[in-house]
Amino acid sequence: MNKIGVRDLVGFILRSGDLNSDMNSTNTAQAGTRIHQKLQRNRTENYQAEYYLADNTQINGHEFTVDGRADGVILQDTTAEIEEIKTSDIEFKELPQNKLTLYWGQAKAYAYLLMKANPEIIEVTLKLTYVQTPDEIITETKQTITQADATEFFQKLINEYAEWIRLQDQLQAEKVTSAQKVKFPFGAYRKGQRELAAVVYKSVLYHKHLFAEAPTGTGKTISTLFPVIKAMGSQLTERAFYLTAKQSTRRVAEEAISMMSENGLQLHSITLTAKDKIKFPEEADLRPEQNPFMVGYYDRLKPALKDLLTHEHQITRPIIEEYARKHTLDPFEFSLDASLFCDIIIGDYNYLFDPRVHLTRYFEVENPDNFFLIDEAHNLVDRSRDMYSTDLTSEPIKNLIKIFSEDKEKNILTKLRSLNRAFNAIAKPLKDEHQTQAEYLEENEKFTKAVINLTKVLRKWLAKAKPSETSDTVLDYFFQCISYTKINEYFGPNYRLRVLLNDAGVTVRLFCMDPSTFLADTLNLGGGAVLFSATLSPMDYYSSVLGDEVDSLKYQLDSPFDPKNREILITSYIDTRYNQRDQSIPKIVASIKRLIDGKRGNYLIFAPSNQYLQTIYDAFHQKYPEINLVKQESAMNDDARADFLHAFDHPDTKPVLGFALLGGIFSEGIDLVGDKLIGVGIVSVGLPGLNHETNLIRDYFDEKNGHGFEYAYQLPGLNNVFQAAGRLIRGTSDKGIILLMDNRFIENRYHDFFPKSWYSNNIVYNLNELISSVKKFWQSK
C-alpha cells in the first residue's frame, strides 16, 4: 500500500505564485511543537489533539493511503471543527496568499477525510490558528466547508496528482528494470571490490550503519554506488544520498553513474550546487518581488520538471542552469524541487548534517527509503564540529546603532542596546580579572533572550527594506543571530560557552566538542548508511566520534596494491618536537636530499605548519639552489592550484620537488599517478597546533573515555599523515618511498595506530642507512 501525507499532497498540487525566499521562517521544529502542545492543552474537554485521519483511494491503478494528523478536532452530531495550527516569525498580515492557500488546503483535505469517515457530518468549520513567534501573537481565522465542496476539492487534488503518479510509475519502472540488469562497469573486480560491494548491499538489506576503510585503489565510489543501485533494483531502497566534503569527489560519483548509464542504467541523479555558486548573475541585488526567476516560480515549475525529467537523467549543474533559464526559474530552488524526483542525490555533507541548512524536505522526519553514502568520512569529524558550533560578536553593533539612529528606529535601537549590554555583562567577569577568555558549562539565558529579541525586530525591518549596502549589513548580522539561536537549542554537556575578548569587542561562542550524538540521530533519519574512507584507522575512534551504534558494522579492506611497490622508512635521528625544530632543519634537508638522490623524478614533502614548511623550503633552496622547487602558498586560487599540480607533469624532462602543508589542499584528493610522484616525505606526526579549543576537546574526552590526547591531537594528526602518504601509490604500477621524518613514529603510541598495510616498515638510524635503504629499494625495482 502506497502512502502520501496530506501536507505533501496539498503542498505539491497547490503551490502557486512567487518564490519568496525572504518569507522563509527561522522558526524551528522544536519551537513549533512546543507551541502546538501548549495550545492543545488549553482547549476544551471535547477537543481531540493530533487527530489521525486516513482514507484509501486508488490513484492510477495504485492503492494509496492518504493520511495525516489534524492538530485538533471537535466532533458534534452533524458538524465538526478542525483546527490547523501554524507557527512562524512572520507577521500574519505579511503572509503571501500562496502560503495561506496551502494552510487552508491542508485543513480542507482533513475535512474531507473526516467527513468520509463520518458521513453524518455535513459541514465542518475550519479554524486556522496562526502563532507569530517569538512573542506568540495569535491570529485566528475561520471558514466553513460542506461535504460536497470538500469532496470536490479533494478529488481535484487526486486527479492532478494522478498525472504525476503516471510519470513516476514510468521512471520507477525504468529504474528498477535497468538496475536489475546493469552489470559492474568494469570487466573484473579489483581486489577487495566485490567484498566491499557485498557488505554495502547487506547494509542496505538489514538497515545498518557501516564504517568501511577502503584503501586507495579499491574503487570506493563504484564499490558503494553499484550495490546500492542493485538494491534499488530489488526495491530495497528508493533513494541514495552521496555526500562528500569536496567537489572533486562529487565529480567521481558523477563519473561512476555515467559509466553505469552507458551500460543501460536508467535512473535520475542530480548534483546539488551551493546557492551562492549556482545563482544567476542577473539575480544579484534583486528582491524576490523584482526577480524574474522567482516571480511566478511555482506557476512555471511543474512544466519545467516534466521537461527536465523526460529529457535528462544525469542532472548536473550545467543541466540545471540550462533548464532553469529555459523556464525562467531560480536554479538553486529548481535543483531542490527536481531532486524530489531523483534516485541519487549528490552533494555536500551540510545538506544532511548541518542543522542550519539541511534539506528539511528530506530530513525533517525519518524515512527508511533513504540510504546515505558518506564519502571521505574522516573529514566529517571536524566538519561536524563546525556545523554544530557558532559564535556572535559585538563588533557590528556600534555600526548598526549608527544606522538605525539615523533612521530613528527606536524599537530596533532598544534591542541593539539591550544586546550590547548583554555582551558587556557576560564579559565583565573577564575584564575584572584581566582575562581574555573563559569557558562555561551552562548557556547564558539572558544573553540568548537578547539575541532572540533583536532577531524579531530585524526580521520585520528586513521584510520591508530595499536592497542596499545597509540592508546587506543588517542581513549579515541578522543571520549570525539566527545561527546563534538555532545552535543554542542543542547546547548540552558536550558544549562549552566561550567568551573571548579582543580589541574589536566581545565574542560569545558556542563550541561543540562532540557532535557524535547529533550525527547518530541524523543517520537514523534514513534506512542505513555507509561511512567510508581510504583512512579510517583506528576504526574504533572514527566509529565513536561519527555516531557509532551498538550494532554498527565495521569493515577494513587490505590495500589492492602490491606492498613490495612501496617502501616506508622511519628516521629515528630526526626530532620535530616544537623545542627541537630549529635543530631538526639540517637533518631534514639532508634526508630529503638523500631521498631524491635515489632516483630522478618528482617528490612531495609535507610539513605541519606554514612557518615550518617555509623554513624547510628556504633551507633546502639555499643549500641546493639548482633543484627545481615548487611550494604551496597560504592562499591559492584555482589557477594557482592547477599550476602547482601541472609542475609534476614532466618527471623525465623537468623533475620537481614540491613542498606542501600537511592536512592542506594537496595532502588528499589529488592524483599524481605513475611516474608523476615517486616519493613522499612527511615531517612530524602531524599533531594539530596547540590551541584552547583542542585542549577543551582533550579534556572532554579525558573525562568521557580517558583518551583525550588521542582524540584531540594524536589521531587527527595521524590521519593527516596517512592521507598525505596516500598521494604516493594511486595505481597498480606506481612505485615509491614514504619517508617519515620524526622519531615519534617509532614509539608504540603512534606505531600501534598504523593501518595494517603499514605494518611492514623499516627504521633508519642515520643518513648512511637512509642512503642504503633508498638505493636498495630502487635497485629491486
Side-chain angles (χ1 to χ4, degrees), residues 11-23:
F12 181 70
I13 300 301
L14 293 187
R15 282 192 307 179
S16 63
D18 303 343
L19 170 68
N20 192 336
S21 59
D22 283 358
M23 295 305 295

Side-chain angles (χ1 to χ4, degrees), residues 546-557:
L546 293 176
D548 191 14
E549 295 181 319
V550 175
D551 60 349
S552 293
L553 306 176
K554 299 177 179 65
Y555 191 72
Q556 290 179 286
L557 280 78

Side-chain angles (χ1 to χ4, degrees), residues 31-77:
T33 299
R34 178 185 59 79
I35 291 170
H36 274 63
Q37 293 173 346
K38 177 181 176 181
L39 291 173
Q40 289 165 338
R41 284 194 300 268
N42 293 329
R43 297 301 188 236
T44 58
E45 288 185 5
N46 57 345
Y47 181 94
Q48 300 181 63
E50 301 301 321
Y51 193 93
Y52 182 72
L53 292 161
D55 182 50
N56 296 330
T57 186
Q58 194 171 83
I59 307 177
N60 198 34
H62 299 281
E63 288 295 324
F64 266 83
T65 296
V66 181
D67 70 345
R69 292 187 181 275
D71 292 322
V73 170
I74 298 174
L75 294 175
Q76 295 172 339
D77 292 338

Side-chain angles (χ1 to χ4, degrees), residues 336-350:
L336 295 184
D337 286 319
S339 72
L340 290 167
F341 296 88
C342 292
D343 309 295
I344 299 176
I345 298 173
I346 303 168
D348 188 86
Y349 292 153
N350 59 15

Side-chain angles (χ1 to χ4, degrees), residues 103 326 426 486 617 712 733 768 781:
Y103 291 168
K326 179 180 178 181
I426 207 170
K486 283 191 174 183
Y617 173 87
S733 63
N768 288 332
K781 304 305 162 192

Side-chain angles (χ1 to χ4, degrees), residues 55-163:
D55 182 50
N56 296 330
T57 186
Q58 194 171 83
I59 307 177
N60 198 34
H62 299 281
E63 288 295 324
F64 266 83
T65 296
V66 181
D67 70 345
R69 292 187 181 275
D71 292 322
V73 170
I74 298 174
L75 294 175
Q76 295 172 339
D77 292 338
T78 59
T79 62
E81 180 175 286
I82 291 178
E83 180 177 37
E84 186 64 24
I85 303 171
K86 299 296 182 184
T87 63
S88 173
D89 54 15
I90 303 165
E91 288 186 66
F92 182 77
K93 65 180 181 180
E94 297 292 338
L95 286 174
Q97 185 57 48
N98 58 358
K99 181 74 74 174
L100 289 170
T101 297
L102 295 181
Y103 291 168
W104 286 116
Q106 196 172 337
K108 290 176 182 178
Y110 286 141
Y112 167 80
L113 296 177
L114 182 66
M115 288 188 276
K116 179 75 181 297
N118 302 274
E120 69 278 7
I121 297 176
I122 58 175
E123 186 177 80
V124 173
T125 298
L126 309 177
K127 178 182 177 182
L128 175 61
T129 301
Y130 182 81
V131 184
Q132 182 195 344
T133 58
D135 290 342
E136 299 186 14
I137 301 170
I138 297 174
T139 303
E140 294 181 351
T141 52
K142 291 183 179 182
Q143 57 180 260
T144 60
I145 190 168
T146 65
Q147 193 176 92
D149 289 342
T151 301
E152 180 182 2
F153 171 81
F154 189 81
Q155 196 56 51
K156 285 182 178 179
L157 292 179
I158 296 301
N159 290 342
E160 185 170 349
Y161 192 65
E163 293 184 28

